[in-house]
Amino acid sequence: MLNDVLTRPVPQDVARDERAPEAPAAGSWTAPVLSASGDAGVDLRESIRAKLTFALGRTPETARPRDWFAATALALRERIVAAALAAERSVPNKRVYYLSLEFLIGRLMSDAMNNLGLTETTRAALRELGVDLDAVQEAEPDAALGNGGLGRLAACFMESMASIGIPAMGYGIRYDHGLFRQSFEDGWQREAPETWLAEGNPWEFARPEATYAIGFGGTVTMSSAEEGVIRRHWQPAETVRAVAHDVPVVGWRGRHVNALRLWKAEAGEPVDLARFNGGDHVGAVAARMRAEAISRVLYPSDSSAEGQELRLRQEYFFTAASIQDLVARHVAERGDVRSLPDHAAIQLNDTHPAIAVPELMRILIDAHGLSWEDAWHVTTHTLHYTNHTLLPEALETWPVELMERLLPRHMQIIYLINWMHLEEQAKHARQDTASDNAAYLASISLIDESHGRRVRMGHLAFHGARRVNGVSALHTDLMRSTVFSDLHALDTDKIVNKTNGITFRRWFHNANPGLTRLAVETVGAGVLDNPELLRGLEAHAEDPVFVARYAAVRRERKEALADLIAERTGIDVDPAALFDVQVKRIHEYKRQLLNILETVALYQAIKAEPHRDWTPRVKIFAGKAAPSYVQAKLIIKLACDVAKAVNDDPEVAGRLKVVFLPNYSVSLAEAIIPAADLSEQISTAGLEASGTGNMKFALNGALTVGTLDGANIEIRDHVGADNIFIFGLEADRVKARQAEPDYAAKAIQASPRLAAALDMIAAGRFSPEEPGRFRPLTDDLRRRDQYLLTADFDDYWRVQRAIDAAWRDPRGWWAKAIRNTARMAWFSSDRAMREYAEEIWRVRLG
């Protein structure tokens, strides 16, 4: 079994970075490698039985799968807890703090069992208790702590830091309901609260001793201190308690465990007894409801002023609690807050925690009495910022009025940072005219005055960070030349590239055990520790025996996915067909609509020539649209309506099926990705920062069809241009095409196939009960087409027909698929974390 391999000693020549770190960290525990043989199985079985009885109050006869999951998780957690004692006794030289509004960690049981080497031991222990491990794992809810790539990247990075021995702590929010649970009602997305915490979370440890007061509103007063120094005192009008809950993150082979610290919002007092006793029973808990709303839901809609305020409250709440916590830990361990940069590296995952810049300054100046110069030095040598997007709407800005009202002290600090920044640059300005100089200063200012006064959080994070990194080579270059071009000119060394990666333990070992087992049997057990050894598979790319085994693994995963599709949608699909997959957040720039247009055009072509030898395809979609994103929700509805028409049409039976799976999640991705033959990565060039889904698909052998956007470029460079399907405009041509007058109308006129597809949709063929339903989509493409679907459509159609031809050559297809798996080792998040550690955080690995 694969798990037996996991517990064998690793040969010295393939082990990488496996030495223990200099010292374990608080919240960063070192554990022994656990054996999957001997008495371990008996001990685990009895531990599970005891947890079921004494922790959950159940008997084996009355226990539900959810109870068995909780008992098993508690038993596994017990094997992690013992290592915490070492953390309490030792302090690392430097610790990383990773601040992210999202951590899309998914289900944790498979990670814990795999990384501890206990999967088969747990399976055997449960079998002896009359329980199936697979059913137990299915009973674990996905942790509703994230939405898409940003959160999943944070989860991969946390697991990799634990695996390679970087002492680290993640910081986020313990959302009660996460984003939302998605369902479909006649093809329309419906949102309901996620209830993942309804029966508790057996993985977490409540840490009530780590509780911090987070202020909002109020006033700032001044007083004179020694030597005429003016001190400012913030007196908040409202205080919310941030209460810590820790989730252990187990590293590979159980040698190291880090902590993910999640903050729950609570009111200072649960009820106003005076109001309650006066008969105002609802008003008596209003303060509690207002406080607890902060950690209720991920990404509340910001379409209203109230929604904007709640989002800002969320961002400040978790950032302030995290900064207070890490500064308090540092002072307890080191004494002098001035040495913080020597012993802590704070990574801001996108702009959501950008308020860390003035918050750290506030703590250093107001609470610890540092001078402005000393505080600025500490801040700008401790903070680092990862940018994830070039989209204007995702580069957060906040109204100055809202900031002044909600965070008055922070606004004072931002004003002063900005004034000093602009004064310094004004001295060196070399523009020819005063108007040029004013425009230049406006471009680098932290305050945008052009559309009402707003604080630019990206500029704030950039200015306050020691390093700013992009997440793919193209994205980093575009950061330097577009959104941060003027700031980049001030410090050309600040922006660096760190291309994203994924954890192979989750997305290869766990998601695709059959393929992992085949890799181990082919190139050796060392591949589990050193993914570079996957390269050895390339020698077998045209070996008929190996190809047959590789294809059999894919077939097994496709049959499992077909069963899941039938169970969740009622649609029967043929595992022998090409599984063409696009699963990701629904957004116009990700161009699910381009895929749907090609689907409609293919449907029309099959109907026109039903006797032609068409390559059978199953188009598989999944993803959530933000509740207030009208166009994205309409795209989902169109996909569902097209699916209904196509799937019910006997003329295309066996040639084309369309499926939209509801409620996309990490666990659903683990079922889809190993079964995919084709991975759709078709965003408008220059807009996808990196992508990590593209890496997961390619690692598991799916061939990519994509634009030269984000990490697709680097994937092409690694897997080879012959093993990927590229189409469309490149980033440097996108802006030029957008500048052409009437470019969409001209593209449609030049493409009869595209025009026919648009006409079919606009005429109501897929919505006969409401013929004009999809006119907002088709009219937008005809008039504006911001994301250049019309410009890329014909080339997309061309490459899809090339894919049809490639699928009809199984020998060539599987050779390409095997080369994709063999050449993807560089995209490990372990590699990414080593680069961060060495070049950004300056953390020495053990």
Side-chain angles (χ1 to χ4, degrees):
M1 298 298 290
L2 173 63
N3 196 250
D4 297 329
V5 176
L6 305 188
T7 58
R8 296 175 190 163
V10 185
Q12 280 299 117
D13 60 335
V14 299
R16 297 182 59 189
D17 288 318
E18 293 177 354
R19 292 164 292 173
E22 219 171 31
S28 172
W29 315 319
T30 300
V33 177
L34 301 177
S35 173
S37 58
D39 295 332
V42 175
D43 290 346
L44 185 58
R45 181 192 67 205
E46 294 310 310
S47 180
I48 293 171
R49 193 200 307 270
K51 297 300 181 187
L52 184 71
T53 303
F54 300 111
L56 302 177
R58 297 280 190 177
T59 66
E61 293 74 23
T62 62
R64 306 162 300 156
R66 180 64 174 74
D67 301 319
W68 284 113
F69 153 66
T72 306
L74 290 170
L76 291 168
R77 192 184 75 163
E78 195 171 72
R79 282 145 177 79
I80 299 168
V81 170
L85 298 175
E88 295 176 359
R89 294 192 297 266
S90 50
V91 177
N93 182 57
K94 195 167 190 178
R95 187 183 289 110
V96 173
Y97 296 103
Y98 197 87
L99 275 62
S100 179
L101 199 60
E102 296 185 44
F103 286 93
L104 197 58
I105 57 178
R107 294 169 172 168
L108 292 181
M109 180 173 284
S110 59
D111 270 0
M113 290 188 302
N114 184 55
N115 284 6
L116 291 172
L118 288 175
T119 302
E120 294 308 316
T121 301
T122 306
R123 188 181 300 279
L126 286 168
R127 186 186 304 118
E128 292 177 17
L129 293 167
V131 179
D132 177 56
L133 174 61
D134 293 339
V136 170
Q137 289 183 276
E138 283 296 314
E140 179 179 10
D142 275 58
L145 299 172
N147 174 34
L150 178 80
R152 185 53 232 174
L153 180 77
C156 284
F157 280 6
M158 287 298 299
E159 194 273 351
S160 275
M161 284 190 277
S163 290
I164 67 176
I166 297 175
M169 178 173 277
Y171 282 117
I173 294 179
R174 182 182 181 268
Y175 299 104
D176 294 328
H177 303 298
L179 189 68
F180 58 83
R181 185 173 68 253
Q182 180 194 56
S183 61
F184 294 141
E185 183 179 312
D186 190 28
W188 290 104
Q189 174 179 287
R190 296 291 180 254
E191 302 94 27
E194 282 282 5
T195 55
W196 75 290
L197 288 173
E199 297 190 49
N201 178 10
W203 297 111
E204 72 181 8
F205 299 87
R207 302 294 193 201
E209 71 279 5
T211 297
Y212 297 92
I214 310 301
F216 296 99
T219 59
V220 180
T221 60
M222 294 186 296
S223 65
S224 296
E226 297 177 1
E227 299 179 359
V229 175
I230 301 296
R231 294 293 180 195
R232 287 168 174 79
H233 310 276
W234 180 25
Q235 298 167 321
E238 176 191 1
T239 300
V240 175
R241 286 157 38 94
V243 183
H245 292 71
D246 289 352
V247 177
V249 180
V250 185
W252 178 232
R253 297 190 183 274
R255 279 185 291 265
H256 197 79
V257 182
N258 284 328
L260 172 58
R261 176 157 286 187
L262 302 172
W263 301 106
K264 176 178 174 56
E266 294 182 356
E269 296 293 340
V271 62
D272 184 336
L273 281 177
R275 296 184 69 176
F276 189 88
N277 292 331
D280 186 4
H281 302 147
V282 175
V285 295
R288 174 184 171 185
M289 294 300 101
R290 177 174 166 80
E292 292 181 355
I294 292 173
S295 55
R296 283 269 191 250
V297 176
L298 170 65
Y299 296 140
S301 173
D302 59 0
S303 57
S304 67
E306 294 79 7
Q308 286 188 32
E309 179 172 331
L310 180 53
R311 280 208 186 190
L312 180 56
R313 283 165 64 86
Q314 281 186 331
E315 294 183 7
Y316 177 66
F317 165 81
F318 102 89
T319 302
S322 305
I323 297 294
Q324 288 186 53
D325 188 54
L326 69 90
V327 169
R329 182 178 299 108
H330 174 80
V331 171
E333 293 172 351
R334 304 288 178 177
D336 186 359
V337 75
R338 290 173 177 80
S339 64
L340 186 66
D342 298 327
H343 303 291
I346 301 172
Q347 190 70 35
L348 308 179
N349 193 31
D350 217 2
T351 55
H352 306 126
I355 197 68
V357 177
E359 173 65 7
L360 184 53
M361 289 290 290
R362 183 189 71 82
I363 290 174
L364 295 174
I365 294 169
D366 296 354
H368 291 273
L370 268 63
S371 68
W372 179 274
E373 292 75 15
D374 286 347
W376 188 243
H377 175 85
V378 169
T379 297
T380 55
H381 286 75
T382 304
L383 296 177
H384 311 85
Y385 162 50
T386 300
N387 173 272
H388 284 281
T389 184
L390 305 176
L391 292 174
E393 66 268 26
L395 283 170
E396 286 186 316
T397 63
W398 294 110
V400 167
E401 179 278 328
L402 174 61
M403 292 279 287
E404 289 178 330
R405 175 166 53 82
L406 208 61
L407 301 170
R409 178 63 179 130
H410 299 75
M411 208 53 234
Q412 289 180 344
I413 293 170
I414 290 170
Y415 281 138
L416 187 51
I417 292 172
N418 197 41
W419 178 78
M420 298 178 74
H421 166 55
L422 295 180
E423 282 290 299
E424 180 65 24
Q425 299 315 314
K427 297 176 185 175
H428 307 293
R430 290 184 170 85
Q431 280 69 31
D432 295 333
T433 67
S435 61
D436 286 342
N437 189 43
Y440 166 70
L441 294 177
S443 74
I444 64 172
S445 174
L446 306 187
I447 311 295
D448 181 3
E449 310 268 358
S450 60
H451 301 92
R453 301 179 67 237
R454 301 180 70 92
V455 181
R456 293 166 161 159
M457 303 307 283
H459 279 48
L460 179 62
F462 187 104
H463 191 50
R466 191 183 75 85
R467 287 287 182 268
V468 175
N469 72 279
V471 290
S472 72
L474 174 63
H475 172 238
T476 302
D477 287 343
L478 289 173
M479 282 173 58
R480 292 170 177 150
S481 62
T482 59
V483 293
F484 293 131
S485 58
D486 288 330
L487 290 172
H488 170 61
L490 302 179
D491 185 350
T492 56
D493 294 328
K494 180 173 278 194
I495 297 179
V496 296
N497 179 59
K498 293 290 168 280
T499 297
N500 287 340
I502 58 174
T503 169
F504 283 26
R505 270 81 57 180
R506 167 78 74 158
W507 297 107
F508 194 58
H509 301 181
N510 287 354
N512 206 339
L515 186 54
T516 305
R517 188 176 296 112
L518 178 58
V520 167
E521 292 171 2
T522 305
V523 300
V527 73
L528 298 171
D529 298 272
N530 180 3
E532 291 291 342
L533 297 179
L534 282 171
R535 194 76 187 216
L537 298 179
E538 193 170 344
H540 304 271
E542 299 187 30
D543 173 2
V545 175
F546 180 83
V547 168
R549 295 183 67 192
Y550 188 98
V553 169
R554 172 70 56 75
R555 176 69 184 219
E556 179 184 355
R557 302 314 304 158
K558 291 177 74 172
E559 289 175 353
L561 179 58
D563 290 342
L564 185 147
I565 289 170
E567 175 190 334
R568 298 193 183 181
T569 69
I571 299 171
D572 292 323
V573 300
D574 182 3
L578 173 71
F579 277 19
D580 176 352
V581 179
Q582 187 174 20
V583 290
K584 54 184 74 235
R585 177 169 57 94
I586 309 299
H587 195 290
E588 289 170 278
Y589 91 84
K590 293 179 183 289
R591 301 206 295 189
Q592 286 92 351
L593 184 54
L594 176 60
N595 193 347
I596 298 168
L597 285 172
E598 191 272 338
T599 304
V600 172
L602 179 58
Y603 175 57
Q604 292 175 317
I606 295 172
K607 294 273 288 180
E609 299 181 84
H611 302 298
R612 182 175 160 186
D613 184 20
W614 295 98
T615 296
R617 281 197 190 223
V618 178
K619 292 263 194 176
I620 300 171
F621 296 88
K624 298 179 180 180
S628 60
Y629 194 168
V630 175
Q631 289 288 88
K633 295 176 83 168
L634 194 58
I635 289 169
I636 291 177
K637 174 59 173 168
L638 175 60
C640 291
D641 284 354
V642 169
K644 188 175 186 305
V646 169
N647 298 342
D648 290 347
D649 191 331
E651 281 194 306
V652 299
R655 300 174 178 87
L656 181 62
K657 283 283 182 79
V658 183
V659 175
F660 202 118
L661 280 163
N663 206 37
Y664 188 53
S665 63
V666 174
S667 56
L668 183 54
E670 289 174 300
I672 293 173
I673 289 171
D677 297 307
L678 186 67
S679 164
E680 298 268 355
Q681 308 295 331
I682 59 176
S683 53
T684 309
L687 295 184
E688 185 72 82
S690 170
T692 54
N694 47 8
M695 303 170 190
K696 296 160 193 166
F697 281 106
L699 174 64
N700 284 276
L703 304 189
T704 300
V705 55
T707 53
L708 286 178
D709 194 27
N712 289 351
I713 297 172
E714 287 147 294
I715 290 175
R716 178 203 59 182
D717 294 344
H718 280 80
V719 305
D722 292 338
N723 302 302
I724 190 171
F725 298 96
I726 297 298
F727 75 96
L729 297 174
E730 297 183 26
D732 60 353
R733 293 181 58 203
V734 165
K735 284 191 178 298
R737 178 60 61 89
Q738 289 172 329
E740 294 177 11
D742 301 322
Y743 63 85
K746 292 174 183 176
I748 294 168
Q749 185 177 14
S751 174
R753 184 173 285 111
L754 172 58
L758 288 170
D759 289 344
M760 191 178 200
I761 296 168
R765 170 63 178 80
F766 302 105
S767 55
E769 73 284 6
E770 187 184 347
R773 175 183 296 155
F774 300 116
R775 282 290 182 89
L777 296 177
T778 57
D779 288 352
D780 182 76
L781 290 179
R782 294 180 190 280
R783 286 196 304 261
R784 189 174 64 121
D785 188 20
Q786 179 181 359
Y787 299 108
L788 297 178
L789 282 69
T790 58
D792 280 349
F793 177 85
D794 278 349
D795 204 24
Y796 183 54
W797 173 270
R798 174 199 60 77
V799 80
Q800 290 287 9
R801 305 293 72 80
I803 290 165
D804 286 342
W807 180 255
R808 290 193 289 271
D809 172 20
R811 179 178 175 181
W813 184 278
W814 290 118
K816 293 176 187 293
I818 291 165
R819 291 188 189 106
N820 267 260
T821 298
R823 297 175 180 180
M824 284 299 293
W826 187 81
F827 294 94
S828 165
S829 50
D830 293 0
R831 181 271 311 160
M833 288 297 88
R834 290 187 184 97
E835 291 183 2
Y836 273 84
E838 294 166 4
E839 301 170 30
I840 294 180
W841 301 328
R842 296 182 291 192
V843 173
R844 184 168 61 86
L845 297 175

